[in-house]
Amino acid sequence: MPILLDNQSKIVVQGFTGSAGSFHAQQCIAYAEECGAPGVVAGVTPGRGGQTHLGRPVFNTVQEAVRSTGANVSLLLVPAPFAADSILEAVDAGISLVIAITEGIPVLDMARVKRAMERANQSGNEVRLIGPNCPGVITPGQCKAGIMPAHIHKPGPVGVVSRSGTLTYEAVDQLTKHGLGQSTVVGIGGDPIAGSSHADILALFEQDPATEAVVMIGEIGGSSEEDAARWARDRMSKPVFGFIAGRTAPPGRRMGHAGAIVEGGSGTHAGKIAALRDCGVTVIENLSEIGQTVARALRKHAEVA
Amino acid sequence: MKLLEHQSKELFRAKGVAVPPSGGAIEDLGRLAAALKRAGRGPWVLKAQVLAGGRGKAGGVKLARTPREARELARQILGMTLISPQTGPQGVKVASLLVEGGAKIERELYLSIVLDRKAACPVVIASAQGGMEIETLAHERPEAIVRVPVDPDQGLLDYQGRRLGYALDIPAERMREFVALAKALCRVFLDYDCSLVEVNPLVLTPKGLLALDGKVIVDDNALFRQKALAALPDLESSRLEREAKRHGISYIGLDGNIGCMVNGAGLAMGTMDTIALAGGTPANFLDVGGAADQQRVTKAFQILLKDRKVKAVLVNIFGGIVRCDMIAAGVIAAVRKVKLKIPLVVRLQGTNVDKGRALLKESGIRLTTAEDLWEAAQKAVAAAKTAAEA
């Protein structure tokens, strides 16, 4: 049983009929068919209810989509100005996992969304947000809800959690080429306020029998990686491998991602590397060595066992 | 987006935060007399309007007692190259000057509102030690700093304002005024979609509390709904960075000599880091974007080559949504268009990689290919070294 997504997941795509929504929904549908899983069961675009798009029913609201199809995961591809509202709509409709791909959501919108989600969780309506500004989630061989290239993945024992899209693809590709498949690959996104942190996902991987080791990919800015490393030191039995991007990034500049910035001396590359090392995370300095490092360590692990 | 002090103070004024009497910002000496008049009676403070801090020690802030002295000082400041620890050794040119009435300072305090990423909400940070760099204070005397979280829907509440006020030793007769000011600053943060509002120092004067300085950073992601702020000129980016932004390309100029074109922000940083590990120096960060088309690839190439320091180019693309064959076609078109004369190393991986590599080969253009990033970085570093020595 992998984390977050499996071959029973039923996805509703918010922002289904737009050009990005259509393109990516189509890819998710194709992957689910390959896996023999339901995948995308519905789409939502206000004003287009009653139509059929990509062979799936379109609804005006998430609530109707959930009632009619039993969707439990939302894949959100709504433009940034409307994204916060759409996340809250999914939460209100009883969706248990919202995966927000959208880039460029105002950070105060996310602050408000987080508070609303805390209230929902306190009232017993359990819901988790992944993203925003992320590539999504894939459980290879079972289900994809995101924009990642599915063909580089294969099922296996390594969990991956990352703040960056293409950096994740790079890591996954290396793992696959070294014969290591992935249990689930989770993009938590590059924004200052994220629905789930590295530590949140580590906790899920620790509980997941399909995951034997975790690759954690981070970047400068914030303290998500440091917090996760401390969590791993205190609570995690599985090996964690870490890579942090941004060694050469100048302080005070935002490196593409809204959250990738060193502010007032905090969130530095050196600080993160030191924290990871202190907590027993295997730090990988060279991006090109992720695959081989994990492969070597797991082989050793297997020999000892 | 960083705002200048006088722009920040306009936002303060709009929300009812007291600031010193202002004569406005001027760009030439001819407007000084009118500005002094608007600021009221002297002495006046003349303040260089640049985005970097540390202006006072760098000679960018001066007190003028007479109009004549003001004229002399304004002449010195306008057009000067201000060099502070925050500007780097090259400094920044002072294009405008804020003219303000002076204030009689009884006490200096520090107050800012920042986004607390972990708590996922804004937080007020305050200290009775005004005028000091907050990072230094946080490091040396963390107990001297008070933090109060702000509900993004409600703003700062009265009791939270009082909590701050007592922690800062605000006199009882000033408490009401302080709470109003702290609440108003939080309104600035929330209503203008800020990621930072900083007042250092916030001063107690015989006439009341004043925001003597002001620094505001607005969330770039919210500029679509902050139209007035979005219309302000972008002073933070270089000419090349602005040009890139107009074409949907995320570009940041650096000091090295290997130009990079990458898709994705994380991979772009990772590529820069790999160049450094291989013994080279990246000339830029460049994320061509997830929805890059052939035109944008060509544009990205043109932009990174405008940096004269660039001695070699490294293209690193992991095709996901972006197809490698499209990138290859863009690279070929760009190389022909700009008549590239420096070494080019291309590493393609992911979607349609074989088609992309075939296109590059068939094109006959001179380039080096690499299977993985480490190999690509080493080849680019070697090429840049050879080119730099030639």
Side-chain angles (χ1 to χ4, degrees):
Chain A
M1 173 68 196
I3 70 166
L4 299 171
L5 290 180
D6 59 23
N7 55 15
Q8 305 299 311
S9 300
K10 291 180 175 174
I11 305 166
V12 51
V13 179
Q14 291 180 261
F16 190 42
T17 56
S19 67
S22 298
F23 176 81
H24 293 297
Q26 181 64 61
Q27 307 287 316
C28 293
I29 288 170
Y31 193 68
E33 276 168 4
E34 239 175 77
C35 302
V40 177
V41 297
V44 170
T45 298
R48 303 281 294 268
Q51 300 180 6
T52 301
H53 183 62
L54 307 177
R56 302 292 185 274
V58 184
F59 298 90
N60 285 321
T61 66
V62 181
Q63 190 179 47
E64 288 171 73
V66 169
R67 280 188 186 154
S68 303
T69 65
N72 56 359
V73 175
S74 156
L75 174 63
L76 201 121
L77 291 152
V78 172
F82 319 108
D85 183 62
S86 295
I87 295 171
L88 295 177
E89 181 183 359
V91 172
D92 188 48
I95 291 282
S96 59
L97 175 64
V98 184
I99 299 171
I101 306 299
T102 308
E103 179 177 2
I105 303 176
V107 70
L108 281 175
D109 284 8
M110 285 312 302
R112 292 179 181 114
V113 163
K114 280 281 266 197
R115 290 186 87 81
M117 292 189 77
E118 274 163 27
R119 283 194 293 270
N121 277 320
Q122 277 159 9
S123 65
N125 173 12
E126 266 188 45
V127 54
R128 177 186 297 278
L129 173 67
I130 301 285
N133 191 12
C134 80
V137 180
I138 182 170
T139 294
Q142 300 200 34
C143 187
K144 152 175 156 160
I147 62 173
M148 65 291 279
H151 63 87
I152 61 171
H153 300 77
K154 74 168 202 180
V158 182
V160 180
V161 53
S162 169
R163 267 166 78 183
S164 151
T166 44
L167 209 46
T168 316
Y169 311 161
E170 175 75 42
V172 165
D173 188 53
Q174 288 180 31
L175 289 170
T176 298
K177 283 180 176 154
H178 279 87
L180 288 171
Q182 304 85 39
S183 53
T184 301
V185 179
V186 185
I188 57 172
D191 276 2
I193 295 182
S196 299
S197 66
H198 283 103
D200 293 335
I201 305 304
L202 286 189
L204 297 178
F205 279 135
E206 174 66 9
Q207 294 298 319
D208 171 31
T211 302
E212 291 169 24
V214 179
V215 173
M216 173 166 90
I217 297 170
E219 58 192 26
I220 52 163
S223 63
S224 177
E225 296 84 356
E226 293 92 317
D227 297 340
R230 279 188 286 273
W231 192 91
R233 179 194 62 199
D234 298 340
R235 313 276 295 275
M236 196 142 178
S237 62
K238 300 173 183 178
V240 180
F241 299 84
F243 173 81
I244 307 284
R247 173 194 299 274
T248 50
R253 300 298 305 264
R254 222 168 272 283
M255 306 304 286
H257 288 153
I261 179 168
V262 171
E263 292 161 302
S266 79
T268 64
H269 184 268
K272 285 178 190 283
I273 294 285
L276 263 58
R277 283 223 168 92
D278 281 352
C279 295
V281 172
T282 305
V283 172
I284 300 168
E285 303 249 12
N286 188 333
L287 173 55
S288 300
E289 292 175 359
I290 293 178
Q292 65 191 66
T293 309
V294 180
R296 210 182 299 133
L298 289 192
R299 247 196 327 269
K300 231 184 225 166
H301 194 72
E303 279 163 17
V304 173
Chain B
M1 177 187 194
K2 290 180 184 160
L3 300 188
L4 291 169
E5 178 192 2
H6 75 92
Q7 295 165 339
S8 306
K9 283 177 169 171
E10 271 170 46
L11 304 189
F12 290 0
R13 235 189 312 265
K15 296 293 165 187
V17 177
V19 293
S22 174
I26 59 166
E27 287 170 12
D28 59 85
L29 278 180
R31 302 189 180 267
L32 179 66
L36 292 173
K37 202 166 177 187
R38 277 195 299 272
R41 286 175 48 196
W44 300 278
V45 183
L46 309 179
K47 306 178 87 175
Q49 296 298 287
V50 292
L51 291 174
R55 293 173 298 168
K57 282 183 191 141
V61 180
K62 298 279 186 196
L63 185 76
R65 285 167 211 292
T66 65
R68 194 174 176 165
E69 194 184 5
R71 196 171 173 76
E72 190 43 47
L73 291 170
R75 197 199 308 276
Q76 286 170 22
I77 296 173
L78 270 176
M80 79 183 276
T81 300
L82 187 143
I83 303 169
S84 84
Q86 289 186 27
T87 63
Q90 75 288 354
V92 287
K93 203 131 190 122
V94 178
S96 70
L97 180 75
L98 173 64
V99 179
E100 283 187 340
K104 212 168 175 179
I105 299 170
E106 291 172 344
R107 260 182 69 198
E108 296 193 353
L109 311 165
Y110 173 92
L111 200 147
S112 71
I113 304 144
V114 301
L115 185 80
D116 183 331
R117 294 164 64 144
K118 208 193 295 190
C121 68
V123 58
V124 180
I125 297 178
S127 166
Q129 312 276 321
M132 239 176 120
E133 286 273 338
I134 193 72
E135 288 92 9
T136 316
L137 191 64
H139 189 68
E140 287 168 9
R141 290 190 50 214
E143 74 288 353
I145 294 175
V146 214
R147 298 167 60 93
V148 172
V150 181
D151 183 323
D153 294 315
Q154 302 196 67
L156 191 75
L157 301 173
D158 284 350
Y159 79 89
Q160 293 180 304
R162 288 196 299 275
R163 186 184 293 167
L164 286 166
Y166 290 120
L168 298 182
D169 256 333
I170 300 290
E173 70 277 12
R174 296 282 183 80
M175 190 58 84
R176 196 187 293 264
E177 185 192 352
F178 173 81
V179 171
L181 180 135
K183 287 174 75 173
L185 280 169
C186 287
R187 278 304 5 134
V188 170
F189 189 97
L190 294 172
D191 292 353
Y192 295 111
D193 276 301
C194 299
S195 52
L196 172 80
V197 168
E198 184 179 55
V199 183
N200 189 20
L202 170 68
V203 297
L204 281 163
T205 75
K207 288 182 193 153
L209 284 154
L210 278 182
L212 206 59
D213 199 356
K215 182 174 167 188
V216 166
I217 303 179
V218 180
D219 176 9
D220 290 330
N221 285 349
L223 287 176
F224 70 86
R225 64 186 178 203
Q226 298 292 347
K227 298 231 156 55
L229 298 174
L232 294 173
D234 175 2
L235 302 168
E236 204 178 346
S237 314
S238 68
R239 194 178 49 79
L240 272 185
E241 289 167 3
R242 286 196 296 270
E243 186 182 342
K245 213 181 272 181
R246 276 200 301 279
H247 291 90
I249 297 162
S250 180
Y251 170 92
I252 295 172
L254 302 166
D255 296 330
N257 62 6
I258 298 175
C260 314
M261 186 179 87
V262 188
N263 65 326
L267 190 59
M269 267 192 284
T271 303
M272 287 158 46
D273 296 351
T274 307
I275 289 172
L277 273 184
T281 51
N284 62 271
F285 165 93
L286 194 157
D287 172 10
V288 72
D293 55 13
Q294 194 174 319
Q295 237 176 343
R296 202 190 280 182
V297 169
T298 307
K299 192 73 215 173
F301 234 83
Q302 289 173 319
I303 286 168
L304 72 89
L305 286 173
K306 280 186 188 175
D307 176 353
R308 292 283 155 214
K309 300 191 299 296
V310 171
K311 296 279 182 261
V313 177
L314 170 56
V315 174
N316 181 27
I317 299 294
F318 202 104
I321 314 156
V322 176
R323 299 184 334 263
C324 289
D325 54 328
M326 188 279 298
I327 294 283
V331 168
I332 293 163
V335 166
R336 291 193 175 134
K337 197 164 177 183
V338 303
K339 298 192 176 64
L340 187 74
K341 297 209 173 49
I342 56 174
L344 167 65
V345 181
V346 181
R347 183 263 181 155
L348 299 177
Q349 202 52 263
T351 310
N352 289 2
V353 60
D354 294 334
K355 272 193 207 168
R357 286 180 185 160
L359 275 178
L360 289 177
K361 201 162 181 193
E362 285 156 20
S363 73
I365 59 173
R366 275 183 44 195
L367 56 87
T368 309
T369 54
E371 282 284 319
D372 68 28
L373 176 54
W374 182 235
E375 182 194 342
Q378 286 178 311
K379 285 179 170 173
V381 170
K385 271 201 181 122
T386 312
E389 282 159 11

